[in-house]
Amino acid sequence: MRISALALAVMLGAVAAYAQTAPAPPSPTAAYDRAISNTWKNLHTKVLDMAKDFPEDKLGWKPHPDSRTMAQEFRHVTIGLEMTTAVMKGEKFDFTATEKSADAKPNRRASIVADMEAALAASLAWIDANGPKPNLIGWIDHQGEHYGKMVDGYRVNGLVPPVSRPKK
């Protein structure tokens, strides 16, 4: 009987030691936050790739007289990045003034790309340091609509968006 009691004590001690050293399962909240952050980053990386790639001579193209030009679409996404970052930080953001300021900028790829790179870097840095806010889900949807419009801009102009090209 002593051997059985001793074996039981050793087994319980081993189980307790393992339980203390076993890694905790990942938090569902952490996985959720990672999914939001990754979707935000991937969506805007695709838009940035398009801004770097779209022909400069077609940046003034728009599908309808009442629509935004491709340059305005890229700038609108950039303003969205700036606005969501400000909102996550708890700062005020004047969308109308920012849009007017963007309309005054030259419709050149270099300017569009530089502004978008800066806005994306600021957004991702804040999210990496603080985690995403739930309102990013709605903004992912909104920015995704603009991404879709830009894909249409590629297709209507006889171009293939970067993400749809064969991988080299």
Side-chain angles (χ1 to χ4, degrees), residues 67-130:
S67 300
R68 289 185 179 100
T69 65
M70 286 296 285
Q72 289 169 326
E73 284 292 339
F74 287 122
R75 293 232 186 257
H76 185 77
V77 169
T78 300
I79 293 167
L81 280 164
E82 294 167 346
M83 185 171 74
T84 54
T85 303
V87 169
M88 286 188 292
K89 291 178 174 181
E91 300 172 354
K92 297 274 185 202
F93 188 86
D94 187 341
F95 178 85
T96 304
T98 305
E99 194 168 49
K100 274 187 182 177
S101 172
D103 284 343
K105 292 182 178 183
N107 286 335
R108 296 284 174 246
R109 181 185 302 126
S111 173
I112 291 168
V113 168
D115 289 348
M116 190 177 292
E117 285 176 332
L120 182 56
S123 177
L124 295 178
W126 197 92
I127 291 170
D128 286 347
N130 301 285

Side-chain angles (χ1 to χ4, degrees), residues 11-85:
M11 285 179 19
L12 288 175
V15 167
Y18 176 76
Q20 291 175 356
T21 60
S27 160
T29 303
Y32 180 76
D33 286 353
R34 231 179 358 270
I36 293 171
S37 298
N38 288 342
T39 301
W40 185 255
K41 178 181 180 181
N42 293 337
L43 170 64
H44 289 96
T45 299
K46 289 189 288 190
V47 174
L48 179 59
D49 288 346
M50 292 170 89
K52 291 177 179 178
D53 179 75
F54 197 76
E56 194 154 13
D57 65 329
K58 294 190 183 294
L59 285 171
W61 178 85
K62 56 184 175 178
H64 185 274
D66 295 335
S67 300
R68 289 185 179 100
T69 65
M70 286 296 285
Q72 289 169 326
E73 284 292 339
F74 287 122
R75 293 232 186 257
H76 185 77
V77 169
T78 300
I79 293 167
L81 280 164
E82 294 167 346
M83 185 171 74
T84 54
T85 303

